Amino acid sequence: MVLLSLDKKLVKKYNLNSPRYTSYPTANMFGKDFGVDQLSAAIAASNQFCLPKPLSIYVHLPFCNTVCFYCACNKIITANKKRIIPYLQDLYNEIIMKGKIFDKDRKVEQIHFGGGTPTYLNNSQLTQLMNILNNNFNLLDDDSGDYSIEIDPRKMELEKIVLLKNLGFNRASIGVQDFDPKVQAAVNRNQTYDETVSVINEARKCNFKSIGTDLIYGLPKQTKKSFIETIKKIINISPDRIAIYNFAYLPNLFKMQRQIKKEDLPESKTKLDMFNEAIRLLEGAGYIYIGMDHFAKKSDALKIAQDQGKLHRNFQGYSTNSNCDIIGFGITGISKINNTYSQNIKSPGEYHNALSDKQIPVLRGYQLTFDDEIRREVISQLMCHFKIEFNDIENIYKINFNDYFSNELNILTSYENDRLLTINYNSIK
C-alpha cells in the first residue's frame, strides 16, 4: 500500500508540462507516415502468433446533449438524435471491415464504450451495436471479461442499466466531476446527488462487477471546502474505483474552455490542498492509491491485478488486461497492435468518406523501435507497480540495464536525493 503525501516544495521544483502517459511514445509522436498498409501488416503479424493475443475493443461514441465547458474530448453536441444514425452506420461498416482481418479465435476480453456520452444512444441502437460487435468478433458469452461503459446519470432511464447488463456490460464509469451547484453552473453540468446515487444503486442491483466515479479538481468556483464536500459524498456512495483528474485549462486548444473565466479558477496552492485532503480522506476510508489519478478498494480488480503484478495502463486508464491488442473504433479511436499504435480519422465527414471508399479510416500512427519497446516496459512498470526490477528487463530484452540506462540513472540521482525514489544495483522503487 502506498501512503501519499504532497511536499509543496517538490511539487514546485518538478512542475513541468508533459504529455499524458496513456502510451509510450505518447500520441504527439504519431505520424502520417503510418497508415492503412502498416496497420494491416501489424494485424496480419499479430494473427500469426501461435497463441494470438486476446483483444480489447474501444468504441468512441462522441454524442452529447449538452456541452460541459471543461471537456477536452472529441465530441458532437446535438439535441437532434437523427444525427447519430449516419455515424452508427459508418461505425458498423468499420467493425465489419476490421472483423474480417482479425482471426475469429481471438477472444475479446475487454470492451470499453467511451465518448461523448455512450448512453446517449437509445436502447435499440445500443443493442444493435453490441450485436454487430458480437457477429464480427469473438465476444465472451459469460461474465468473465471487463466490459465497461461510461454513463452520464443525467436523464438516465434506470431501465437502460438493466439493458446494459443484459448486453454484457459489467463495469460502469459514472461521470460526476463535482457536486457543488456553483461549480456545476460554471461548467454547464447540472447533476444532482440523488440522480447519481439512483443510477449507481441500480447498477449494483444488476450485479455490475465494478462501479467507478470520475472527479475533477481545479474547476472554476471550486474551493477546498466545496471539493472536500464532494469527496465526502463520493465516499458515502462507496464506488469501487475513484478517478481524480487535474483540470487542464487550455482555452487555446479547446474552444469550449473559453466559456470559463480564468479568474474563477482556484490557485495552484488551493488545487494542491484539494488533492492532498482528498488523498487523506480516501485513504482513511480504505481506498488505495493505484497510481497517477486512480484509487480503488482493496477488493477491486485493479488492486488485485496490481498485487499480482498484472496491472497495465492504456488509453482508457488503468486496466487488468495487459496482454491484449487494442482495436479502436469510431472517430479518434486509437489501436495498439503488437508494437504499433494507430489513430482513426478525427472528422466525422472524412471518417465517412474513408469508409465509403472501403478504406480503414487511419489518420496517423507509430511503429515502435526496439528502444521504444524497452522504455515503454520500464515506464509501464513504474506507473503500475512503483518499481522496476532490472533483472526482469534484462531477461526480456537481453540488455545490461545499468549500461543501457546509465544516463537516466545519473539523472535520477537528484530524485533519489529528494526521497522520491530509491535505487540499488538491481531495482528502482
Side-chain angles (χ1 to χ4, degrees):
M1 177 176 178
V2 175
L3 293 174
L4 291 184
S5 62
L6 295 181
D7 184 320
K8 293 177 182 178
K9 289 182 180 178
L10 291 182
V11 171
K12 185 176 181 180
K13 178 178 178 179
Y14 292 106
N15 182 25
L16 301 172
N17 290 327
S18 67
R20 283 189 66 205
Y21 265 113
T22 51
S23 67
Y24 180 85
T26 48
N28 60 332
M29 295 295 293
F30 296 2
K32 293 193 175 182
D33 55 341
F34 186 103
V36 174
D37 291 343
Q38 289 77 11
L39 175 59
S40 298
I43 294 170
S46 183
N47 284 334
Q48 294 304 310
F49 288 152
C50 59
L51 290 174
K53 292 180 181 180
L55 299 176
S56 171
I57 285 175
Y58 172 73
V59 181
H60 190 70
L61 299 163
F63 299 95
C64 293
N65 188 58
T66 57
V67 64
C68 302
F69 294 156
Y70 57 80
C71 184
C73 298
N74 188 305
K75 56 197 172 294
I76 298 170
I77 310 301
T78 179
N80 180 7
K81 293 207 170 186
K82 291 182 179 179
R83 289 188 64 185
I84 299 175
I85 297 171
Y87 179 83
L88 285 178
Q89 189 56 59
D90 289 334
L91 190 61
Y92 302 155
N93 290 337
E94 184 188 3
I95 292 168
I96 293 167
M97 187 181 300
K98 287 182 176 175
K100 292 176 180 177
I101 54 179
F102 280 92
D103 284 353
K104 291 297 185 292
D105 60 345
R106 302 182 68 175
K107 293 183 178 180
V108 178
E109 293 188 351
Q110 185 177 48
I111 293 176
H112 186 82
F113 280 17
T117 306
T119 50
Y120 190 53
L121 273 62
N122 64 35
N123 291 355
S124 175
Q125 290 165 337
L126 285 165
T127 301
Q128 186 173 8
L129 176 52
M130 284 300 288
N131 286 341
I132 294 284
L133 283 171
N134 197 41
N135 290 339
N136 290 276
F137 288 91
N138 188 7
L139 270 59
L140 303 176
D141 57 7
D142 57 23
D143 203 39
S144 62
D146 285 343
Y147 288 10
S148 67
I149 186 167
E150 296 173 10
I151 294 175
D152 183 345
R154 299 173 297 171
K155 299 181 181 179
M156 177 74 178
E157 310 92 348
L158 296 184
E159 295 80 9
K160 187 172 282 188
I161 301 292
V162 179
L163 172 74
L164 293 174
K165 189 65 171 66
N166 290 337
L167 290 177
F169 290 100
N170 53 24
R171 299 191 185 277
S173 177
I174 313 292
V176 174
Q177 321 320 338
D178 194 294
F179 280 124
D180 186 87
K182 292 180 181 177
V183 177
Q184 291 184 355
V187 298
N188 198 42
R189 184 187 176 94
N190 297 311
Q191 177 177 327
T192 69
Y193 177 82
D194 287 343
E195 62 190 349
T196 304
V197 170
S198 178
V199 167
I200 290 174
N201 285 343
E202 188 65 24
R204 285 181 173 139
K205 286 181 186 177
C206 292
N207 295 316
F208 273 64
K209 283 183 182 179
S210 179
I211 298 167
T213 54
D214 295 342
L215 305 176
I216 299 177
Y217 68 100
L219 292 173
K221 301 293 185 179
Q222 256 180 357
T223 65
K224 179 182 174 182
K225 181 180 179 181
S226 70
F227 189 65
I228 294 313
E229 285 302 311
T230 289
I231 294 291
K232 289 179 178 178
K233 288 179 179 178
I234 287 294
I235 290 172
N236 187 55
I237 294 171
S238 192
D240 302 283
R241 305 173 183 178
I242 300 172
I244 304 182
Y245 300 108
N246 172 29
F247 175 52
Y249 181 59
L250 301 167
N252 291 333
L253 291 178
F254 306 110
K255 185 171 67 174
M256 282 302 168
Q257 290 191 1
R258 297 172 198 169
Q259 303 294 322
I260 294 173
K261 297 177 182 178
K262 188 174 182 179
E263 59 267 27
D264 287 342
L265 297 173
E267 296 179 351
S268 297
K269 178 184 180 301
T270 304
K271 288 177 68 175
L272 285 177
D273 288 342
M274 287 179 191
F275 192 50
N276 212 18
E277 186 65 11
I279 291 166
R280 188 187 69 80
L281 289 170
L282 289 173
E283 290 187 333
Y287 288 92
I288 297 167
Y289 179 62
I290 297 297
M292 295 186 74
D293 38 36
H294 278 60
F295 297 79
K297 291 180 178 179
K298 187 183 294 187
S299 57
D300 188 78
L302 285 183
K303 178 55 183 167
I304 294 170
Q306 189 174 60
D307 291 342
Q308 295 174 344
K310 297 178 180 179
L311 190 67
H312 185 65
R313 188 171 173 93
N314 60 30
F315 301 100
Q316 287 82 58
Y318 284 97
S319 167
T320 59
N321 299 72
S322 61
N323 196 37
C324 293
D325 276 343
I326 301 171
I327 316 171
F329 292 105
I331 55 172
T332 71
I334 294 179
S335 300
K336 180 183 80 69
I337 310 296
N338 275 352
N339 60 345
T340 71
Y341 299 121
S342 57
Q343 184 173 34
N344 276 359
I345 290 168
K346 298 180 179 182
S347 159
E350 293 177 15
Y351 176 72
H352 170 78
N353 292 338
L355 289 162
S356 295
D357 292 338
K358 311 295 184 185
Q359 290 289 318
I360 297 175
V362 179
L363 173 67
R364 57 181 187 157
Y366 188 89
Q367 175 102 32
L368 276 72
T369 65
F370 181 66
D371 178 69
D372 291 332
E373 292 186 53
I374 298 172
R375 293 176 187 276
R376 176 173 68 178
E377 182 62 25
V378 171
I379 290 168
S380 178
Q381 289 293 326
L382 292 172
M383 283 198 300
C384 295
H385 304 291
F386 311 112
K387 64 180 180 179
I388 185 76
E389 301 289 342
F390 298 173
N391 288 341
D392 294 343
I393 301 299
E394 291 174 337
N395 291 335
I396 296 171
Y397 297 102
K398 311 305 178 187
I399 62 168
N400 180 291
F401 193 99
N402 284 285
D403 290 343
Y404 198 92
F405 289 107
S406 59
N407 289 336
E408 288 80 1
L409 290 169
N410 285 333
I411 293 169
L412 288 180
T413 301
S414 66
Y415 293 73
E416 188 171 32
N417 292 338
D418 285 330
R419 300 174 64 191
L420 293 172
L421 50 83
T422 56
I423 306 174
N424 63 34
Y425 70 97
N426 191 45
S427 70
I428 300 171
K429 296 183 179 178

